Amino acid sequence: MTVVPFTTARFTPADLAEWNTVAQPKLARGLWEAVERSSGPDFDRLVVRFPNLERPVFRFERDRRGTYRLLFNDRRGWYEIGSGSTAEDCLAVWKGRLPRTETKAAEAQTV
């Protein structure tokens, strides 16, 4: 039997599940029109389109090193708004505020 190695440039099923926690509510409410996927030897990419807008607005990608990036297109080009070594880290910008550490919570109580 031949085993084909899984390239680090591809999203894993866990990555796509994490993406879906962000995308599904936005798609269901009509805030996003579509999500399109494209893949190549050095990348895997999800592109978000808004209703009534010709250009894509957001791009979530993984490169061959396994690095995740979230980019925003403001008509002048793509700008990175998130990155990380996991899909969860990269998409944290859409998950709300990061939890406070116990030290910061303790400091806030003493003030």
Side-chain angles (χ1 to χ4, degrees):
M1 173 171 31
T2 303
V3 176
V4 178
F6 187 80
T7 174
T8 56
R10 294 296 304 257
F11 291 124
T12 67
D15 295 339
L16 296 174
E18 184 67 26
W19 169 260
N20 284 333
T21 64
V22 171
Q24 290 301 326
K26 294 177 184 325
L27 287 163
R29 291 193 322 244
L31 300 173
W32 292 0
E33 181 177 62
V35 176
E36 301 164 356
R37 185 176 184 179
S38 61
S39 298
D42 296 330
F43 70 92
D44 202 359
R45 184 176 294 148
L46 297 168
V47 176
V48 175
R49 295 191 176 277
F50 281 5
N52 304 315
L53 196 59
E54 290 184 31
R55 66 180 165 79
V57 179
F58 292 109
R59 187 171 80 202
F60 176 55
E61 61 189 23
R62 184 174 182 183
D63 65 23
R64 68 182 186 175
R65 292 176 304 203
T67 302
Y68 299 84
R69 287 185 183 75
L70 181 61
L71 300 108
F72 172 71
N73 183 349
D74 73 350
R75 289 187 226 158
R76 290 176 285 169
W78 290 100
Y79 298 93
E80 187 173 293
I81 60 172
S83 66
S85 59
T86 67
E88 184 178 13
D89 289 344
C90 183
L91 297 172
V93 68
W94 278 332
K95 294 279 191 163
R97 299 175 76 181
L98 296 175
R100 294 177 8 164
T101 63
E102 289 183 32
T103 306
K104 289 182 182 177
E107 289 172 5
Q109 290 177 358
T110 61
V111 175

